[in-house]
């Protein structure tokens, strides 16, 4: 059965085609260190037997957090605390990646927004349509945007020191790099706003810096392909634009593109198969494509792999409800 087939990326063998998608656990200390609760969560995830485990979003800057109890990789003293998580995953036989994120303050929760040390910054001073609180962020200065590649490279260096095999850049679900991509949340008039290639510039600069700094690490981007779900339409980032971004990411040396939604989020009954198929065609085998969303049976996972929707199939909420049932997908004849 297909999901058991391995896939090699940069000499790293992923033992099967199932991916544990990043699912934020809110189990970190306020400093961003994993806790016993995190380790319990990781063990549950590992009972799914997914070959690639992408740990939940870790903040690259204190102002890039989405909530107080989020994991962080924004300072060197944190490295040590992340070793046990990476090593638990590695010892299980799965490949450990970690997702890196700058949330963009407009999605931060109220607890964080009320913290006097937190500064709420985003591409433009517009509320994020994904949050009810409608807080208006401060516009990032060009200098702050130019710092993003360094923030991601520093966090990635810490992740690799902690034992992860690579990183995934969070560019979906209305977080900062996705906010730049969307013309709804990005109304800038400088080189980071306007046309698609300007809006994608911060993402491309981050990826270029990561690919240049870490030749042997797996570099992934989780891309919100559009601001609306497959089969619908609306204002904002279009699938055609998302696919152009994916094509450029493949040229920049990204190893895995994960497919999801941008300002629409991830909660669609149909999943993202249609977007994933478009990205598969656009990247033409230059990188692996992973698709997550409403995969609830081995038959569906197998169909996605066989029909060219993607190379890797991700699961999110099944990891919360019944991760060990996912393992059975791999043992069925
Ligand atoms: C509680 C929860 C936390 C999540 N945290 C993250 C996250 O940290 N990063 C991310 O990219 N997606 C996150 N997601 C989205 C999932 O990775 C996944 O895309 C989504 O659940 C859809 O897949 P599913 O239908 O298999 O659940 C989260 C989803 C849930 C339900």
């Amino acid at each position: 059965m297909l999901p058991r087939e391995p896939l090699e990326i940069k000499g790293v063998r992923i033992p099967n085609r199932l991916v544990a998608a990043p699912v934020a656990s809110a189990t970190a200390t306020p400093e961003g260190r994993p806790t016993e609760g995190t380790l319990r969560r990781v063990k549950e995830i590992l009972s799914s037997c997914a070959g690639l485990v992408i740990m939940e979003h870790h903040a690259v800057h204190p102002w890039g957090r989405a909530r107080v109890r989020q994991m962080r990789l924004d300072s060197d003293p944190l490295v040590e605390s992340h070793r046990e998580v990476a090593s638990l995953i590695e010892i299980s036989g799965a490949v450990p990646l970690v997702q890196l994120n700058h949330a963009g303050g407009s999605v931060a929760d109220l607890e964080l927004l009320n913290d006097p040390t937190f500064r709420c910054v985003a591409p433009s001073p517009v509320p994020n349509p994904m949050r009810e609180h409608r807080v208006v962020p401060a516009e990032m200065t060009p200098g702050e945007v130019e710092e993003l590649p360094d923030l991601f490279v520093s966090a990635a260096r810490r992740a690799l020191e902690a034992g992860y095999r690579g990183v995934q850049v969070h560019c979906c679900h209305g977080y900062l790099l996705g906010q730049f991509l969307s013309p709804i949340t990005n109304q800038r008039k400088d080189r980071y706003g306007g046309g698609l290639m300007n809006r994608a510039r911060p993402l491309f600069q981050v990826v270029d810096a990561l690919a240049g700094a870490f030749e042997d690490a797996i570099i992934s981007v989780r891309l919100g392909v559009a601001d609306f779900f497959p089969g619908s339409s609306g204002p904002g980032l279009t699938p055609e634009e998302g696919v152009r971004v994916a094509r450029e990411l493949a040229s920049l040396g990204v190893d895995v593109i994960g497919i999801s939604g941008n300002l629409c989020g991830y909660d669609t009954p149909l999943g993202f198969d249609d977007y994933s198929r478009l990205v598969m065609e656009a990247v033409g085998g230059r990188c692996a494509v992973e698709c997550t969303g409403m995969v609830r049976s081995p038959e569906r996972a197998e169909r996605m792999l066989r029909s060219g929707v993607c190379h890797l199939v991700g699961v999110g909420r099944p990891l919360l409800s019944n991760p060990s049932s996912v393992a059975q997908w791999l043992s069925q004849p």
Side-chain angles (χ1 to χ4, degrees), residues 114-173:
N114 287 326
D115 175 344
T117 65
F118 185 77
R119 192 164 160 256
C120 176
V121 292
S124 299
V126 287
N128 195 305
M130 301 199 66
R131 288 292 180 271
E132 276 171 18
H133 58 47
R134 313 293 295 161
V135 164
V136 178
E139 179 171 301
M140 289 176 88
T141 63
E144 283 171 334
V145 184
E146 276 149 31
E147 281 169 13
L148 289 172
D150 277 353
L151 294 181
F152 277 83
V153 166
S154 298
R157 176 181 49 74
R158 294 176 195 119
L160 298 176
E161 273 174 38
Y164 283 102
R165 296 294 194 102
V167 296
Q168 179 174 75
V169 175
H170 201 330
C171 182
C172 54
H173 308 163

Side-chain angles (χ1 to χ4, degrees), residues 7 38 63 70 75 84-85 97 105 107 111 120 145 152 198 203 211 224 239-240 265 319 328:
L7 180 71
T38 316
W63 301 342
Q70 190 188 333
S75 71
E84 196 170 352
V85 173
L97 293 198
V107 288
E111 186 185 5
C120 176
V145 184
F152 277 83
N198 275 4
L203 170 66
E240 292 72 26
L319 299 173
Q328 291 165 16

Side-chain angles (χ1 to χ4, degrees), residues 261-321:
N262 194 35
L263 292 185
C264 54
Y266 53 76
D267 206 2
T268 161
L270 298 175
F272 291 98
D273 301 27
D274 289 355
Y275 291 169
S276 191
R277 206 186 284 280
L278 293 173
V279 170
M280 282 282 271
E281 282 166 17
V283 301
R286 285 178 296 159
C287 65
V289 176
E290 174 267 329
C291 183
T292 300
M294 289 311 286
V295 184
R296 299 291 181 266
S297 71
E299 292 77 20
R300 172 143 146 74
E302 188 170 2
R303 219 171 27 247
M304 288 166 75
L305 293 164
R306 279 198 197 283
S307 67
V309 167
C310 52
H311 303 103
L312 292 156
V313 177
V315 284
R317 285 162 291 189
L319 299 173
L320 299 174
S321 53

